[in-house]
């Protein structure tokens, strides 16, 4: 899957523009070339892990349905389905998928070459039937099964699996060609080390890595503007902005472990991004045990940071949000209707208040709440924090803020996907503490945005809600948010969700 030519052609074209006069660069941000490259990678890609996971489920369903179809063909559709047949067919289908997984038949390389893996597929399918026959013999049940029926299923099932994999092979190759299924990587650090790394990655057959460019703080004398055909797009600070625009999956730091201080300096800047961060280990003299590495083909990498809530975890969390958001909307719809009427009767203006806030990966999202302030005194930028007995807040507003009823419309934000039900609370873009933006108060503040923000969060149920009037409060809120990100699980989300109404009884900091 090593589709490097289109990216390289674009990169070489970018180099010519990169050497254009400095006035083409955007002051205080990325240069125009980096911005143009980033725009090429705005679209989300399909995760290879997700593709192989869906194929597992599809093959299990295909084997199960084909087994039942063969059974009904021989026995008759309207006849009774013997429990031992249905159980055996289901167990055999499941075991086949497990054995295919164990033998690496769901790796992208294997999926792209079904004919080359024909023998392995046949061996796994035959081994599955051998284990099934051995189990039936051991349990003295072999006489209860029709050899003709299972022999037919063996042929039909294998034919279906092979046919599906032939189709998937063509699809995967097309997705790779179109850039729809790939892992996008940026090389951090240039020079000879980056060149050796790039050449090593490119030599890997059927790898799914697309190199998008190189970023390095060093000047052109120590870090050439072009390495192995890829342009140096900017500095590490500009990489942060680049990764906010482009859908990057991985940063590969191409520096030796001996450059410890420089590696640590880079990681301190880069860890706020929601990407996998790997340290290239292919040229390091210091060797670790094989299990300490992850690999791109045969190129070893040291895992530094992993993108949180990724792949199937993100699917589970999204399903969690949809289910519980719908439940919340249904349960609280009478309260929301009564609140809307009360707001309309209490003061002039719209029922809902919307505000721009930072979302996942620093994207700008709009959050909807019940309006709690007088329309002419509202502060969409949130530069002025709401304080106790704030004259800008209406009578109804004081009640709904204290009881957090003003947050109920955010169930719709969660249902439509801009928020999650549980996560770091989204702060207004211009939110300040003592005339300093929050990211100026807390080092690594933007790491809160490595996941979607939430309607409620770990910080809120631990008392860090309401007015952030001191630097210590925003530091503590950030600390709890980062703890949540590092320790996320669905059970943790459930715990926070069910503790939220209990902790909301404490209204000391809500006004």
């Amino acid at each position: 899957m090593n589709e490097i030519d289109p990216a390289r052609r674009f990169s070489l074209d970018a180099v010519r523009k990169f050497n254009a006069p400095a006035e083409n660069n955007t002051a205080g941000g990325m240069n125009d070339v980096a911005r143009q490259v980033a725009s090429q990678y705005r679209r989300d890609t399909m995760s290879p892990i997700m593709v192989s996971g869906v194929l597992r489920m599809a093959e299990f369903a295909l084997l199960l349905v084909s087994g039942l179809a063969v059974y009904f063909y021989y026995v008759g559709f309207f006849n009774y389905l013997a429990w031992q047949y249905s159980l055996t067919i289901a167990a055999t289908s499941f075991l086949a998928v497990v054995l295919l997984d164990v033998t690496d038949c769901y790796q992208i390389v294997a999926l792209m070459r079904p004919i080359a893996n024909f023998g392995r597929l046949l061996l796994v399918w035959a081994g599955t039937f051998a284990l099934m026959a051995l189990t039936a013999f051991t349990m003295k049940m072999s006489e209860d099964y029709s050899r003709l029926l299972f022999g037919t299923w063996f042929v039909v099932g294998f034919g279906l699996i092979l046919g599906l994999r032939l189709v998937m092979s063509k699809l995967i190759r097309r997705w790779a060609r179109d850039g729809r299924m790939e892992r996008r990587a940026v090389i951090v650090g240039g020079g000879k080390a980056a060149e050796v790394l790039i050449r090593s990655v490119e030599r890997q057959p059927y790898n799914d890595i697309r190199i998008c460019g190189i970023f390095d703080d060093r000047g052109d004398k120590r870090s050439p503007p072009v390495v192995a055909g890829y342009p140096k797009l900017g500095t590490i600070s500009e990489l942060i902005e680049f990764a906010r625009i482009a859908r990057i999956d991985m940063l590969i730091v191409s520096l030796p472990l001996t450059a410890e201080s420089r590696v640590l300096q880079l990681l301190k800047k880069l860890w706020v991004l929601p990407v996998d961060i790997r340290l290239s280990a292919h040229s390091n003299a210091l060797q670790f045990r094989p299990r300490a590495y992850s690999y791109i083909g045969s190129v070893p990498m040291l895992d530094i940071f992993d993108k949180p809530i990724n792949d199937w975890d993100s699917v589970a969390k999204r399903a969690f949000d949809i289910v519980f958001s719908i439940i919340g909307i249904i349960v609280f719809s009478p309260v929301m209707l009564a609140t809307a009427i009360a707001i309309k009767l209490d003061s002039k203006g719209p029922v809902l208040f919307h505000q721009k806030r930072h979302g996942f990966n620093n994207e700008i999202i709009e959050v909807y709440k019940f309006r709690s302030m007088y329309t002419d005194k509202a502060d969409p930028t949130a530069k002025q924090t709401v304080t106790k007995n704030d004259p800008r807040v209406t009578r109804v507003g004081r009640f709904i803020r204290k009881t957090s009823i003003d947050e109920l419309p955010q169930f719709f934000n969660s249902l439509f996907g801009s928020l999650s039900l549980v996560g770091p609370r989204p702060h207004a873009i211009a939110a300040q503490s003592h005339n300093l933006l929050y990211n100026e108060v807390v080092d690594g503040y933007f790491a809160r945005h490595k996941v979607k923000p939430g309607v409620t969060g770990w910080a809120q149920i631990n008392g860090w809600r309401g007015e952030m009037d001191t630097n210590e409060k925003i530091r503590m809120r950030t600390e709890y948010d980062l703890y949540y990100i590092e320790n996320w699980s669905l059970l943790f989300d459930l715990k926070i969700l069910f503790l939220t109404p209990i902790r909301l009884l404490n209204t000391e900091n809500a006004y």
Side-chain angles (χ1 to χ4, degrees):
M1 190 187 293
N2 199 9
E3 299 285 337
I4 62 169
D5 289 341
R8 177 169 293 182
R9 280 198 299 272
F10 180 82
S11 296
L12 290 173
D13 182 55
V15 172
R16 290 191 287 271
K17 297 179 182 177
F18 189 74
N19 292 324
E23 59 264 22
N24 289 337
N25 291 355
T26 304
M30 287 190 299
N31 61 74
D32 289 343
V33 176
R35 194 173 298 279
Q36 184 182 356
V37 173
S39 68
Q40 302 298 308
Y41 300 109
R42 279 183 178 274
R43 189 175 64 176
D44 282 319
T45 58
M46 301 166 63
S47 163
I49 294 175
M50 297 289 287
V51 171
S52 62
V54 170
L55 183 62
R56 287 175 176 87
M57 293 187 287
E59 288 190 338
F60 171 75
L62 197 63
L63 292 174
L64 179 62
V65 171
S66 65
L68 294 175
V70 170
Y71 174 85
F72 285 123
Y73 175 79
Y74 281 108
V75 178
F77 187 78
F78 295 103
N79 287 339
Y80 174 69
L81 176 62
W83 69 268
Q84 66 266 30
Y85 270 96
S86 58
L87 183 61
T88 301
I89 290 169
T92 303
S93 302
F94 180 76
L95 179 60
V97 171
V98 171
L99 292 178
L100 287 169
D101 194 16
V102 169
T103 54
D104 292 332
C105 289
Y106 289 108
Q107 297 295 321
I108 293 297
V109 174
L111 295 179
M112 295 185 71
R113 305 172 67 204
I115 300 301
N117 288 273
F118 179 92
R120 197 194 314 182
L121 291 172
L122 183 59
L123 183 62
V124 168
W125 187 227
T128 303
F129 271 71
L131 286 172
M132 178 193 69
L134 180 62
T135 303
F137 176 78
T138 303
M139 299 178 67
K140 299 181 180 180
M141 298 173 59
S142 56
E143 294 181 357
D144 297 335
Y145 294 98
S146 166
R147 290 167 178 78
L148 178 61
L149 190 155
F150 280 96
T152 305
W153 185 33
F154 179 87
V155 175
V156 171
F158 182 75
L160 290 172
I161 288 178
L162 184 60
L164 177 60
R165 285 177 174 251
L166 287 170
V167 173
M168 283 301 301
S169 172
K170 291 185 177 180
L171 286 175
I172 289 172
R173 289 174 185 274
R174 182 190 301 171
W175 293 335
R177 219 171 27 247
D178 298 342
R180 294 171 60 189
M181 195 179 87
E182 60 189 7
R183 285 186 294 167
R184 295 168 180 166
V186 165
I187 308 297
V188 180
K192 187 64 178 177
E195 183 178 0
V196 173
L197 170 63
I198 291 170
R199 300 296 186 200
S200 300
V201 170
E202 289 181 351
R203 280 197 296 268
Q204 305 307 307
Y206 304 106
N207 82 71
D208 58 344
I209 295 294
R210 184 181 296 277
I211 297 172
C212 302
I214 299 168
F215 287 81
D216 197 345
D217 280 338
R218 295 175 297 178
D220 289 351
K221 288 185 179 180
R222 297 183 61 196
S223 176
V226 182
V227 177
Y230 294 92
K232 184 172 68 174
L233 296 176
T235 65
I236 304 305
S237 296
E238 291 166 342
L239 169 57
I240 304 292
E241 186 178 351
F242 180 89
R244 301 294 190 200
I245 299 173
R247 298 297 189 183
I248 299 300
D249 301 297
M250 182 185 303
L251 303 181
I252 305 176
V253 180
S254 176
L255 293 173
L257 289 174
T258 51
E260 180 183 350
S261 60
R262 187 154 177 254
V263 170
L264 292 175
Q265 184 181 21
L266 288 175
L267 295 179
K268 186 178 180 181
K269 292 181 179 180
L270 298 175
W271 76 284
V272 300
L273 293 173
V275 297
D276 295 331
I277 299 181
R278 303 288 182 255
L279 180 61
S280 171
H282 74 289
S283 60
N284 285 317
L286 182 61
Q287 297 294 315
F288 296 93
R289 296 176 64 183
R291 289 184 180 180
Y293 299 107
S294 61
Y295 292 87
I296 297 174
S298 60
V299 180
M301 301 281 172
L302 287 172
D303 297 351
I304 307 299
F305 293 109
D306 287 324
K307 181 179 178 178
I309 317 182
N310 199 19
D311 295 323
W312 288 106
D313 285 342
S314 65
V315 174
K317 187 167 176 61
R318 182 68 188 125
F320 178 94
D321 288 341
I322 291 172
V323 170
F324 283 96
S325 294
I326 291 173
I327 292 173
I329 290 169
I330 293 171
V331 170
F332 291 104
S333 55
V335 178
M336 287 192 276
L337 179 60
T339 302
I341 294 171
I343 291 171
K344 268 296 182 187
L345 294 175
D346 184 52
S347 60
K348 294 180 180 179
V351 169
L352 295 177
F353 169 77
H354 62 92
Q355 187 178 61
K356 293 187 184 297
R357 300 194 177 190
H358 277 130
F360 170 72
N361 199 22
N362 268 33
E363 293 174 349
I364 306 302
I365 61 172
E366 277 200 330
V367 172
Y368 289 87
K369 303 170 67 173
F370 281 124
R371 180 175 59 84
S372 59
M373 292 186 178
Y374 292 103
T375 303
D376 58 342
K377 298 178 181 178
D379 179 19
T381 63
K383 286 186 177 180
Q384 184 181 344
T385 307
V386 176
T387 57
K388 194 171 185 178
N389 298 320
D390 196 313
R392 297 174 298 166
V393 180
T394 65
R395 289 176 301 172
V396 170
R398 288 194 181 90
F399 176 76
I400 63 175
R401 290 178 72 93
K402 205 166 190 65
T403 55
S404 292
I405 290 174
D406 64 323
E407 307 279 359
L408 292 180
Q410 291 187 30
F411 277 119
F412 291 97
N413 285 105
S414 175
L415 180 63
F416 298 137
S418 59
L419 291 182
S420 182
L421 271 182
V422 182
R425 287 279 293 149
H427 294 154
I429 296 171
Q432 296 183 355
S433 173
H434 295 94
N435 296 320
L436 290 175
L437 295 172
Y438 286 168
N439 64 292
E440 296 172 325
V441 174
V442 181
D443 190 26
Y445 167 82
F446 285 127
R448 300 173 72 253
H449 304 151
K450 290 166 76 169
V451 300
K452 275 186 186 179
V455 179
T456 184
W458 184 235
Q460 281 61 46
I461 69 167
N462 280 280
W464 301 104
R465 61 186 286 246
E467 183 183 4
M468 293 287 105
D469 55 349
T470 67
N471 291 350
E472 179 63 18
K473 285 183 179 180
I474 187 58
R475 287 193 188 99
M476 290 303 297
R477 179 180 283 190
T478 302
E479 185 177 320
Y480 275 89
D481 289 338
L482 296 181
Y483 176 88
Y484 166 80
I485 293 171
E486 292 167 6
N487 295 276
W488 173 86
S489 70
L490 281 181
L491 285 177
F492 196 12
D493 273 4
L494 272 173
K495 175 182 176 180
I496 293 171
L497 198 60
F498 286 109
L499 281 177
T500 295
I502 299 171
R503 300 299 167 85
L504 287 179
L505 296 175
N506 178 8
T507 60
E508 181 181 353
N509 294 323
Y511 34 81

